[in-house]
Amino acid sequence: MAAPIEFAADLCICTQLQDRQVCQVSSEQLFDYHCSMENEHPGDTLLGLFKGDFEEELFHFNLMDHRTVLLVFLCFLLVSVRSEVQKDFSPECREFMYMGTPPRGLENHSLKKICQRYNGKPRYVTLYDVVDHIPVYSAYTFKRSDGFKKVDVPWMFEPQLSTASDSGEMQPFPPSDVHDSFSDAQAVLEDYSNMVDFERGHLNPDEHQAHPDDKAATYTLTNVVPQIREFNVGHWKQHEHIIRRRLNNYCRGMAYIVTGVTTSGRMIRKYNINRVAVPTYLWSAYCCIDYDHNAPFDERSRFPAFAAYGLNEKEGAEVIEMSVQQLEIFLKKNTFVDKRFQIFFGNCEPNDAIMKVQA
């Protein structure tokens, strides 16, 4: 058998996990690479070169030789890193998702992947519905903060949902008379004007960010949904406070959060045209595998992952906390996801049981 080979930088994502490095690559990439290597190593296969197991859609490596180097970036993506709207999330944008893996089981031709860039850097990612004109979810890394809001930021939009943009960044809204040029694919300011019952509710809230630019980047209409005012400033805002305090106090490492919505056909109409879908439920889940094991039991029992959902209504809108698996069961019954739906790779479980890198 051929000696262990080094994977090129376009094949895998690696995450440093305490004293070891965990790497992953999609099975599709693995087979493509196998085909390209057949002439170089006749009769050998990648399964012979490396020990590993298939776990649903991802191939997890056990290194045969500790000297084998697994590099960090995926360069197989068909879009430029600078692209804001991407066919698949680029490596620098996958950093906002646990193990570089987006929620699984949400696929539709109307859903676009947005790497939310602001002031020259990616800030978080969003899966956006260009028909309903709302985000399905935003995924971001939590930053310890005091919870203060940044209030001096203009609302922004995503130019590349409609046209190509050299900057690849969200932009402040231009004068309203040119909004028609991109309103076909996303919400515009007029959609949220003169509304009595609804407010613009963040999925990635600025109080979960610390740096002024990270806070500013949350003020794009591709990151907000119509929330009932009482729910937005009441139960849901209180839940955001609770999560901020919990992660501030007890998460020792990186915390990954995914916040999304379900819909059931209710729309905000403008000029007799369906413009923006109104969520039925908002949901959120976090994953933090490096946490304080000496925390009070009531808090410790909510790690490494926990979740919640709430009804987007004036009454009966209590936010209910639960396990991530319970939330996934709820969402399979209440929204359009397939049976393989999973929010966090490996259910955000300690990775010893899933993959081990041999010394």
Side-chain angles (χ1 to χ4, degrees):
M1 187 180 68
I5 58 173
E6 294 186 0
F7 269 92
D10 60 348
L11 269 176
C12 64
I13 288 179
C14 298
T15 299
Q16 190 67 36
L17 210 58
Q18 296 176 351
D19 61 342
R20 57 197 173 86
Q21 195 177 51
V22 176
C23 302
Q24 65 186 65
V25 60
S26 72
S27 56
E28 181 179 355
Q29 292 168 263
L30 188 66
F31 287 128
D32 287 346
Y33 187 74
H34 175 209
C35 292
S36 69
M37 291 292 294
E38 184 64 28
N39 292 332
E40 234 177 284
H41 300 276
D44 286 332
T45 68
L46 287 181
L47 294 181
L49 294 173
F50 285 86
K51 296 179 181 178
D53 300 297
F54 279 104
E55 171 69 20
E56 294 164 340
E57 287 194 337
L58 293 175
F59 188 84
H60 312 294
F61 292 102
N62 290 335
L63 299 188
M64 292 182 65
D65 189 320
H66 68 277
R67 294 167 297 179
T68 303
V69 179
L70 296 179
L71 298 176
V72 187
F73 295 111
L74 285 171
C75 301
F76 73 98
L77 302 176
L78 300 180
V79 293
S80 167
V81 168
R82 292 296 302 168
S83 294
E84 187 76 9
V85 178
Q86 303 181 336
K87 185 174 180 180
D88 199 0
F89 292 121
S90 59
E92 62 178 353
C93 297
R94 286 178 175 264
E95 294 176 2
F96 301 105
M97 298 172 287
Y98 177 63
M99 293 299 294
T101 306
R104 184 185 62 198
L106 287 163
E107 296 296 336
N108 188 287
H109 69 278
S110 68
L111 303 181
K112 304 299 181 184
K113 296 173 180 176
I114 304 176
C115 184
Q116 302 278 18
R117 300 184 66 94
Y118 179 78
N119 201 15
K121 291 179 59 178
R123 306 292 171 172
Y124 58 101
V125 299
T126 297
L127 186 67
Y128 192 81
D129 192 324
V130 297
V131 174
D132 283 348
H133 299 153
I134 60 169
V136 175
Y137 67 75
S138 284
Y140 58 97
T141 50
F142 173 83
K143 316 297 192 308
R144 289 176 177 80
S145 76
D146 54 18
F148 289 125
K149 295 174 67 68
K150 185 174 179 63
V151 296
D152 58 345
V153 180
W155 283 102
M156 291 175 278
F157 75 108
E158 175 45 60
Q160 293 199 47
L161 282 173
S162 298
T163 59
S165 170
D166 291 337
S167 71
E169 297 198 356
M170 61 184 73
Q171 301 291 332
F173 272 94
S176 59
D177 57 354
V178 298
H179 287 185
D180 287 345
S181 64
F182 52 82
S183 62
D184 60 323
Q186 61 191 297
V188 295
L189 292 174
E190 188 178 11
D191 293 325
Y192 286 91
S193 66
N194 301 317
M195 291 193 302
V196 176
D197 293 330
F198 300 103
E199 292 186 338
R200 290 168 285 207
H202 288 68
L203 297 190
N204 175 9
D206 70 344
E207 77 163 89
H208 285 185
Q209 303 298 328
H211 192 279
D213 282 352
D214 289 332
K215 288 178 174 288
T218 67
Y219 287 88
T220 166
L221 291 193
T222 55
N223 179 50
V224 302
V225 297
Q227 278 187 258
I228 296 291
R229 183 181 187 279
E230 290 81 356
F231 179 57
N232 187 33
V233 302
H235 289 294
W236 193 252
K237 181 57 62 180
Q238 181 62 23
H239 174 68
E240 291 174 342
H241 291 335
I242 290 171
I243 298 305
R244 177 179 59 82
R245 290 194 294 267
R246 182 180 298 160
L247 296 179
N248 272 349
N249 292 334
Y250 304 115
C251 180
R252 299 296 178 84
M254 183 71 74
Y256 301 87
I257 300 181
V258 183
T259 300
V261 301
T262 75
T263 59
S264 56
R266 185 180 181 185
M267 300 290 293
I268 292 175
R269 294 174 61 86
K270 294 287 184 178
Y271 308 111
N272 293 320
I273 299 174
N274 287 337
R275 283 296 304 157
V276 181
V278 177
T280 304
Y281 291 96
L282 270 74
W283 57 267
S284 186
Y286 65 81
C287 167
C288 171
I289 61 172
D290 183 7
Y291 60 93
D292 183 359
H293 289 262
N294 294 317
F297 175 78
D298 190 50
E299 296 292 347
R300 189 171 72 249
S301 64
R302 289 170 167 80
F303 286 93
F306 221 57
Y309 72 82
L311 183 65
N312 187 29
E313 294 288 351
K314 290 182 180 180
E315 299 178 358
E318 181 182 3
V319 175
I320 302 171
E321 285 199 87
M322 63 192 65
S323 71
V324 174
Q325 289 79 9
Q326 288 173 319
L327 175 63
E328 290 171 346
I329 293 171
F330 173 82
L331 293 177
K332 288 175 184 178
K333 296 178 180 178
N334 288 276
T335 193
F336 302 103
V337 298
D338 66 30
K339 63 182 181 180
R340 298 164 50 255
F341 177 66
Q342 186 179 60
I343 297 173
F344 296 118
F345 172 78
N347 293 319
C348 186
E349 295 175 354
N351 287 271
D352 292 5
I354 301 176
M355 61 186 94
K356 293 183 179 178
V357 179
Q358 296 178 345

